[in-house]
Amino acid sequence: MPEIRHVAILDDYQEVAHRYADWSALPDGARTTVFTEPFGGADDVVAALEPFDVVVAMRERTAFPAEVLGRLPRLRLLVTTGPANAAIDVAAAQERGIVVSGTRGAGLASTAELTWGLIHALARSVPAEDSGVRAGGWQHTVGRELEGARLGVIGLGNVGARVARVGLAFGMDVVAWSARLDPGHARALGVTPVGRRELLTTSDVVTVHLKLSERTTGLLGRAELGLMRPDALLINTSRGPVVDEEALLDALHAGTIGGAGLDVYSAEPLPADSPWRNAPRTVLTPHLGYVTAGAYGVFYSDALEDIRAYAAGAPVRVITP
């Protein structure tokens, strides 16, 4: 049976990994090391993880391209939270005899919930009004109603469909588009399928729910953002690179878009000097979509199960190219 000695748990920003799984149940002799800060780059990843035979990665916070995997000769099991991870070169891992295991999916409902938190925060200027009250002020902004407004959902999958149903409950006119949208599925949800241009030019709120791929990277660029109404709100809780960040920043500073609520960015964590930290008419959260007690309970308990199964010679939830 494979012997497990050194287990690295990565990117535990809140220092809660030991709260959501009983790591004492690891095979005898196995020791865990928890990393609570992000690595600076590939060299830092290799220097820190070279001694470990098992690594538990939290979503896509740390990348494992072929170049990094090739410099970790002791690594035998790489566990990712979630059923897939675009930041891991699974083919390169397989070539090197590294087993990649995933966990059950989690965080879909919580990401949809956070999407609505961002929409409400922007529509009613919640952060600004909260700060104003704490500073001794009272009523500085005039909000907007969502009932009767148009919600444009880009991507009507597991998260997008949840967001759409809430929009309908608020009495919004919900439309949707994606390259692979099933019109029948949309209509069954009570959502009107439309073309991309119509969605962008007519929606009061545009919310993005797409997986990151070559096809979706930069999907909303300068031209697409230019189609949006000057008072429209853009929400992105999917992946940062789906939206051209430079173009969005320019639009916000120029006032050609009403505001943006963002949970995801091209560079995460945001650098200290990121222009997003001073961007106007924005509500920003630090990729919190899946960061809930329920999701962490699934992720960490399944990660522990993955390690125990590998040590028993019967890996589970193995991810293949």
Side-chain angles (χ1 to χ4, degrees):
M1 299 294 180
E3 187 177 40
I4 302 297
R5 288 298 181 190
H6 302 288
V7 178
I9 301 172
L10 307 188
D11 299 312
D12 182 15
Y13 297 160
Q14 298 93 350
E15 302 183 32
V16 294
H18 284 87
R19 185 188 306 172
Y20 292 105
D22 180 11
W23 299 98
S24 66
L26 284 170
D28 291 343
R31 296 181 299 163
T32 60
T33 300
V34 178
F35 293 85
T36 60
E37 297 292 333
F39 299 116
D43 290 342
D44 293 332
V45 173
V46 172
L49 301 184
E50 193 277 334
F52 294 92
D53 41 28
V54 176
V55 168
V56 177
M58 175 54 72
R59 304 301 295 125
E60 289 135 11
R61 293 177 183 175
T62 297
F64 288 91
E67 180 233 340
V68 168
L69 294 171
R71 297 166 63 191
L72 296 174
R74 291 181 175 83
L75 182 61
R76 291 180 288 156
L77 174 65
L78 176 54
V79 176
T80 176
T81 53
N85 189 325
I88 296 175
D89 188 332
V90 178
Q94 189 176 68
E95 290 175 4
R96 290 163 176 76
I98 301 168
V99 174
V100 180
S101 285
T103 69
R104 288 170 291 163
L108 299 177
S110 60
T111 299
E113 292 163 3
L114 181 65
T115 299
W116 279 102
L118 291 172
I119 292 172
H120 287 303
L122 277 173
R124 301 304 296 271
S125 301
V126 172
E129 292 291 7
D130 175 80
S131 297
V133 170
R134 295 175 190 278
W138 195 255
Q139 286 196 14
H140 297 289
T141 65
V142 177
R144 62 170 77 183
E145 295 179 3
L146 297 176
E147 184 175 14
R150 171 165 280 196
L151 174 68
V153 182
I154 299 180
L156 202 59
N158 288 321
V159 176
R162 285 176 165 87
V163 171
R165 283 194 288 266
V166 175
L168 291 168
F170 278 121
M172 299 184 76
D173 170 26
V174 183
V175 300
W177 171 85
S178 71
R180 298 176 180 173
L181 181 70
D182 179 352
H185 170 63
R187 293 190 183 97
L189 292 172
V191 175
T192 303
V194 297
R196 178 168 60 172
R197 183 181 184 88
E198 180 179 346
L199 184 148
L200 293 172
T201 57
T202 64
S203 295
D204 297 281
V205 180
V206 174
T207 181
V208 182
H209 304 287
L210 297 172
K211 292 181 179 180
L212 183 63
S213 66
E214 289 185 8
R215 179 175 54 84
T216 62
T217 298
L219 183 72
L220 294 184
R222 199 170 299 276
E224 290 74 24
L225 295 173
L227 294 173
M228 293 178 63
R229 293 168 35 177
D231 61 346
L233 307 178
L234 177 66
I235 311 296
N236 188 7
T237 57
S238 58
R239 289 295 182 268
V242 174
V243 179
D244 181 333
E245 290 191 343
E246 182 178 349
L248 179 55
L249 280 164
D250 288 347
L252 288 164
H253 283 287
T256 57
I257 187 173
L262 305 176
D263 187 48
V264 291
Y265 313 88
S266 292
E268 297 183 8
L270 278 182
D273 60 351
S274 169
W276 283 118
R277 297 187 185 275
N278 298 301
R281 299 186 310 286
T282 53
V283 176
L284 310 177
T285 51
H287 205 153
L288 295 178
Y290 62 88
V291 183
T292 65
Y296 272 21
V298 170
F299 288 160
Y300 284 123
S301 63
D302 279 9
L304 174 61
E305 184 178 272
D306 288 348
I307 298 169
R308 287 169 54 87
Y310 175 83
V316 293
R317 292 184 285 266
V318 175
I319 300 172
T320 56

